[in-house]
Amino acid sequence: MAGLPARPLGRCLFRGRSARRTLLWAGGCPQCRPLLAFRHDRFSSTSTTSPTTTTPPTRALPVSLRKQIKDETKARKAKAAQQKGSAAGSGLAHRGQTVPGWELTVGIEIHAQLNTAHKLFSSAQATSPLSESEPNAPAHVAFFDVALPGAQPIFQPATLIPAIRAALALGCTIQPVSRFDRKHYFHWDQPAGYQLTQYYEPLARDGHVDLYGDRDGIAAEDGDHVRVAIVQVQMEQDTAKTVAQPGGVHWLDYNRVGMPLVEIITAPQLHHPATAAAFVRKVQQLLVAVDACTSGLEAGGLRADVNVSVRRVAGGDSERGEDKADTERLGVRTEIKNLNSFRAVEDAIIAERNRQIAAIMAAEAAGHVSPRDAIVSETRGWTPPAFAGDEGKTHRLRGKEGEVDYRYMPDPDLGPVVIDEALVRFLQLTLGASPDAEMDDLIDNFGLSPTDVAALMALDGGGRAQYYYDVVEAVEQRLAAATGAAPGVEVRAFVANWVLHQLGRLTSDRHASVNIGDDAAASTTATATTTTSLDMTPEGRCRIPVACLADILAYRYQGRITAGVAKELLFAVFRGDVTDTDGGPSVTDAIAAERLWFDEISADEYAALAQEAIADEAKTLKQFASPAAQKKYPHGKLQYLVGKLLRLGPEGRTDPQNAEAAVRAAVARWVEDSQRHTA
C-alpha cells in the first residue's frame, strides 16, 4: 500500500468524520482512496433493505491496515536482503580490503594547522581548535583576514619554523625558494574570493612515510612494509569556520580564517583502506612528535581529504604498477572532503569504492555508457553509518574543479620566501627522535610489546607517553635509593601496565572501594567520583601527579603494599583525597594513617595454610595426579585452592603470587606421595 498522507488521513480519522461515507469513498477524498480496502462492511452495502433479507455480495475478506503494513515491511526487508546478497556476491557490498577483479587507488591530502602564535599573513593572534575564544574576536581577526579594501598581506616568518619541521619529519627536501599563488574560488568562508597557497613552487617536495605492519596497522595485503611517497608540502591559509544554525542559516567565525596550514599531498599509491587510515595516523604522530601542529584529527587540528578511483585488473595485485604510464590509466577519481577520524577515512574509502564499482558494473550491463563515463569527477561528502545506516555513504557536494577553474596566478603582493640552508640544518638537528625510533626504543629498552607501545603513543595526543617517561624516572629513583642498585627493565614494564591500564580504569570505574584521607573516619562507604577525565596534557601532566603514582608503584614493586591497596590509593589520588602538595596527606601519610602497610606472613605460615587448604580436597588433588594433567595442567583447580588459602589466611597479610607458589609446592608433594604409595 502506498504511504498515506498524514494530513488528509488525520482529517478523516481524527476529527469525528470517519463515519461519513463520502470521506472514505473514491470521490470524497482522493488522497485517502487506499482506505477503501479497510472500511467496515456497512460502508460497502449498496442496498437500502434490511440486512436480514439481503445477501451481501461474495468478496474477499478485508485485510487489516496493521497486517498490510507488516506485510509491506517484510517484503521491503526481503528485497533489501536480496539486493544486499546479490551485491555481496558481485563484490559491491564488500567490507574487506580488496574486491576480486578490481583495484582501488587512493591519494590523500592532509591539512594540518601549524602551531604558531600568529596567523600566516597578519599579526592577529592564532587560535587553536580546542580553544573557546569568542567568535570574531578583534584579537583574532585582522583587516586582511576579512579582506577589507586596502589591507595587504604581511608574511609572518615565524610560521616557517613549524612548517619546515613538519616537512623534515616527512622526509621532504626543503626548497630554497618558494612562492605564494592565488587560488580563486567563491564561497562564503573565503572573504577575498581566493586562497593564498603554494601550488607551483611549494615549501618542500619528494618526501615519504614508512608504514610497518607490526605497529602501524596496515592491511595484511600490503605485507610488512609500505612506503608512501609525499609529492609536496605547501603552506596555505585556512578558511573561516561555518557554524550551521536552524532554518538553513549559517554563521561565520572568522577567528580561523588566515590560520597557517601545511597541505601534505601524497602520490596515488595506496590501495587498501586500512593502510590509508594508518597513513593518516602516522602523519599525525609525526607532526605531533615535532610539535608542528596544534592538535590531532579528532580535535580539528588535522583534516583529511581522500581521492578514490577504481579500475578493473586482470591479475589482481600482480598487475599493479606505480610508474607514470600506469598512473595515467587509473579510473576517474572523486574526492571525499573533511574526514575527521581514522575510522571515517577507512569507512569512506570502502563506501566510495563500492559505489564506484556498482556504477561501473551498471554501466557495463546497460551497454550504452562507457565504463569510464559512469563515474563523474566530483567532490563528495561523507555520512557515517550512525546517520546513513549499513556502511555509511558518500554524497555529492559539487563538481570537481580543475587547475583551469581555480585560475592560479602568482600573488603580486607577496615576494618569494627564501630559506637559508643553515636554518634547515639547525632544525634538522633539533628535530628529535622520530616515532619509529621511539617505538624501537620502547620495545628494546623498556620491555614493552608493540601493541602496548602503539597504544601508549596514541593516547592523549602523545601526552600519555611523556607521562610514562616521567613516572618511570621517578620510580627508578625511589627504588635505587631504597635498594642501592639500578632497577632492571622489568620495572619499566611494570610501570607501563599501570599507566596504560590502571589509569584507564579511573575514567570508567564510577566508585572507589574505600575513602582515604581526613574524611575517611567519618565515612566508610564508597563515594562516587564526579570526574571522568584524566585531564592529560601533551606535556604529560594530569590529575594523578607523577610523584604520587611513583610512590604507589615503588611501594607496590617492593611488596610493601598489596595490589588492592595500590589501586585504592590511586582512586584516592584521583579524587583529590591524597596529594603531593602542601595541605593534604601524601601517599606515605595515607598508608601510615590507615595502617595499609603489608605485613606479610612467613614462608612457614604459607606452607601451613597450603596444607590446610588441600587437607580435605582429595577429589580435586587426584586431577593433578591423573595422566591428563601431564598434557594440560589443571590451572582452574589450582586457582580454586589458592583462593581457599587466601580466605584461610589473615586478612591483608597474604600475597596471591606467594600463595600460589605455596599451593603448587603442597600439591606437588601430595602427588609425589600419592605416586610413591601407589608404587
Side-chain angles (χ1 to χ4, degrees):
M1 184 186 75
L4 298 178
R7 184 171 297 175
L9 182 63
R11 183 172 65 248
C12 294
L13 298 182
F14 305 117
R15 295 188 180 180
R17 294 188 289 173
S18 60
R20 290 179 56 186
R21 183 173 179 177
T22 57
L23 286 177
L24 296 180
W25 202 251
C29 184
Q31 292 177 302
C32 293
R33 287 176 184 174
L35 284 176
L36 286 171
F38 315 118
R39 66 184 186 273
H40 195 270
D41 287 346
R42 66 189 179 94
F43 292 127
S44 63
S45 175
T46 58
S47 174
T48 58
T49 59
S50 172
T52 58
T53 60
T54 303
T55 303
T58 303
R59 60 182 178 85
L61 293 176
V63 181
S64 67
L65 178 61
R66 177 187 292 273
K67 186 177 187 307
Q68 186 157 346
I69 292 176
K70 290 177 65 175
D71 291 343
E72 285 188 356
T73 303
K74 290 180 180 179
R76 188 165 56 251
K77 289 183 177 180
K79 182 178 180 181
Q82 182 180 5
Q83 292 176 346
K84 187 174 182 180
S86 61
S90 59
L92 301 185
H94 207 289
R95 283 289 304 171
Q97 296 299 307
T98 60
V99 177
W102 295 87
E103 180 192 74
L104 167 72
T105 302
V106 178
I108 299 181
E109 301 171 6
I110 297 178
H111 299 82
Q113 182 173 314
L114 295 175
N115 187 12
T116 62
H118 299 283
K119 293 188 175 182
L120 187 57
F121 298 112
S122 72
S123 59
Q125 297 177 11
T127 59
S128 167
L130 299 177
S131 65
E132 298 181 356
S133 303
E134 180 184 357
N136 300 316
H140 300 297
V141 182
F143 290 163
F144 176 77
D145 298 331
V146 291
L148 289 182
Q152 297 292 309
I154 302 175
F155 179 70
Q156 304 296 310
T159 59
L160 272 177
I161 304 303
I164 295 175
R165 292 173 67 88
L168 292 174
L170 298 171
C172 295
T173 301
I174 305 299
Q175 303 300 299
V177 178
S178 59
R179 289 180 171 84
F180 285 96
D181 308 301
R182 291 185 179 183
K183 176 183 178 181
H184 293 84
Y185 68 93
F186 295 97
H187 199 262
W188 58 50
D189 60 3
Q190 189 62 265
Y194 61 85
Q195 180 187 32
L196 290 174
T197 183
Q198 294 179 322
Y199 183 74
Y200 293 114
E201 298 183 60
L203 173 72
R205 298 182 187 271
D206 303 329
H208 65 270
V209 172
D210 291 313
L211 304 174
Y212 300 94
D214 60 342
R215 60 181 62 172
D216 293 320
I218 64 176
E221 293 82 355
D222 281 319
D224 297 330
H225 173 254
V226 172
R227 171 165 286 189
V228 183
I230 305 294
V231 176
Q232 66 185 47
V233 175
Q234 59 195 44
M235 298 183 70
E236 62 184 27
Q237 61 178 168
D238 206 347
T239 59
K241 181 180 180 180
T242 302
V243 182
Q245 299 294 320
V249 177
H250 293 84
W251 290 354
L252 292 178
D253 182 4
Y254 287 106
N255 286 353
R256 196 181 72 177
V257 70
M259 284 294 298
L261 303 177
V262 286
E263 182 178 6
I264 302 162
I265 304 173
T266 75
Q269 293 180 335
L270 295 164
H271 301 282
H272 301 100
T275 305
F279 169 78
V280 178
R281 185 184 301 109
K282 189 64 170 285
V283 169
Q284 175 175 303
Q285 291 178 356
L286 289 167
L287 298 185
V288 169
V290 299
D291 198 27
C293 65
T294 55
S295 59
L297 196 68
E298 289 81 359
L302 269 74
R303 300 191 294 274
D305 304 336
V306 296
N307 294 275
V308 180
S309 68
V310 298
R311 64 174 178 177
R312 285 192 180 276
V313 289
D317 290 351
S318 62
E319 296 292 323
R320 180 187 303 150
E322 304 296 352
D323 57 7
K324 181 178 180 181
D326 185 76
T327 302
E328 292 174 351
R329 295 194 298 269
L330 295 177
V332 177
R333 67 182 175 94
T334 59
E335 183 180 21
I336 309 173
K337 298 287 289 184
N338 295 331
L339 300 175
N340 58 2
S341 71
F342 306 121
R343 180 63 181 271
V345 171
E346 182 173 359
D347 287 349
I349 292 173
I350 291 175
E352 179 62 13
R353 175 198 65 188
N354 294 343
R355 186 194 71 84
Q356 291 189 18
I357 292 175
I360 293 174
M361 293 180 67
E364 291 176 342
H368 54 78
V369 178
S370 169
R372 188 172 178 84
D373 295 336
I375 305 300
V376 178
S377 180
E378 59 188 0
T379 299
R380 302 182 68 85
W382 166 243
T383 303
F387 300 97
D390 296 331
E391 62 181 20
K393 66 178 182 180
T394 63
H395 55 274
R396 175 183 169 86
L397 294 178
R398 58 183 180 272
K400 182 66 180 171
E401 299 90 346
E403 181 177 342
V404 176
D405 300 314
Y406 286 132
R407 304 188 307 282
Y408 286 100
M409 59 168 286
D411 187 270
D413 298 325
L414 291 168
V417 178
V418 181
I419 301 175
D420 187 65
E421 186 178 352
L423 174 63
V424 177
R425 286 199 304 268
F426 174 78
L427 293 178
Q428 182 74 66
L429 292 174
T430 59
L431 204 58
S434 68
D436 287 330
E438 185 177 3
M439 293 182 78
D440 290 337
D441 182 56
L442 287 170
I443 293 172
D444 298 336
N445 300 323
F446 285 75
L448 306 187
S449 66
T451 302
D452 286 345
V453 170
L456 189 65
M457 296 184 64
L459 288 171
D460 303 313
R464 189 74 66 97
Q466 184 58 51
Y467 181 77
Y468 167 71
Y469 290 133
D470 295 341
V471 175
V472 166
E473 181 181 2
V475 170
E476 289 181 341
Q477 290 175 354
R478 285 161 171 75
L479 293 179
T483 62
V489 178
E490 63 276 3
V491 174
R492 299 176 176 182
F494 168 76
V495 173
N497 176 62
W498 280 76
V499 171
L500 274 175
H501 305 295
Q502 297 303 328
L503 286 189
R505 289 183 64 242
L506 296 177
T507 59
S508 58
D509 288 359
R510 302 297 298 164
H511 298 274
S513 55
V514 297
N515 289 323
I516 300 176
D518 295 337
D519 297 334
S523 175
T524 58
T525 60
T527 302
T529 175
T530 59
T531 302
T532 59
S533 173
L534 290 172
D535 298 331
M536 185 73 71
T537 67
E539 294 77 21
R541 299 292 179 264
C542 71
R543 291 180 57 85
I544 308 296
V546 170
C548 290
L549 184 57
D551 286 338
I552 294 172
L553 297 185
Y555 290 142
R556 173 61 194 138
Y557 189 79
Q558 297 175 78
R560 300 184 63 184
I561 58 176
T562 64
V565 169
K567 294 175 183 178
E568 293 168 0
L569 288 168
L570 187 61
F571 271 110
V573 175
F574 184 63
R575 291 196 309 267
D577 297 335
V578 176
T579 179
D580 63 340
T581 59
D582 296 336
S586 65
V587 170
T588 305
D589 294 338
I591 295 174
E594 299 294 327
R595 299 180 181 179
L596 299 175
W597 294 113
F598 183 39
D599 182 18
E600 190 173 9
I601 61 177
S602 64
D604 293 339
E605 290 175 303
Y606 272 119
L609 287 172
Q611 286 299 129
E612 184 179 355
I614 68 173
D616 54 349
E617 297 290 347
K619 184 177 179 180
T620 302
L621 292 172
K622 288 180 181 179
Q623 299 186 35
F624 292 90
S626 65
Q630 303 298 324
K631 298 181 179 180
K632 184 178 180 181
Y633 191 80
H635 290 282
K637 299 299 181 182
L638 178 68
Q639 294 304 317
Y640 161 72
L641 296 175
V642 171
K644 189 175 180 181
L645 184 152
L646 294 175
R647 291 191 296 272
L648 292 172
E651 183 178 0
R653 296 188 59 196
T654 53
D655 181 76
Q657 293 182 347
N658 293 335
E660 181 177 341
V663 171
R664 279 183 180 272
V667 169
R669 287 194 299 270
W670 186 93
V671 171
E672 183 180 351
D673 293 342
S674 176
Q675 292 174 348
R676 186 169 56 251
H677 291 319
T678 302

